[in-house]
Amino acid sequence: MSEKKLEKDEEKILFGDNSLVCFACGEKIEPDTNICPYCKTPIK
């Protein structure tokens, strides 16, 4: 699996006020998450 560099705006997708959606797998995650607990993708 190759990782591509994404622009900062593409790395986090806001979901409401207090949640994010992982850009790789689409699962809801907490805003202070560094690694997605579902797909293990680093969130910066």
Side-chain angles (χ1 to χ4, degrees):
M1 177 196 307
S2 65
E3 291 183 6
K4 59 183 179 178
K5 301 270 182 182
L6 296 176
E7 295 297 321
K8 188 168 185 131
D9 292 341
E10 294 180 47
E11 291 181 348
K12 291 183 180 180
I13 300 170
L14 290 175
F15 187 86
D17 291 334
N18 297 321
S19 296
L20 297 173
V21 175
C22 175
F23 68 90
C25 70
E27 292 290 334
K28 294 179 191 177
I29 56 176
E30 295 299 316
D32 59 348
T33 301
N34 292 323
I35 298 176
C36 177
Y38 302 100
C39 68
K40 309 297 185 221
T41 300
I43 307 293
K44 296 180 182 167

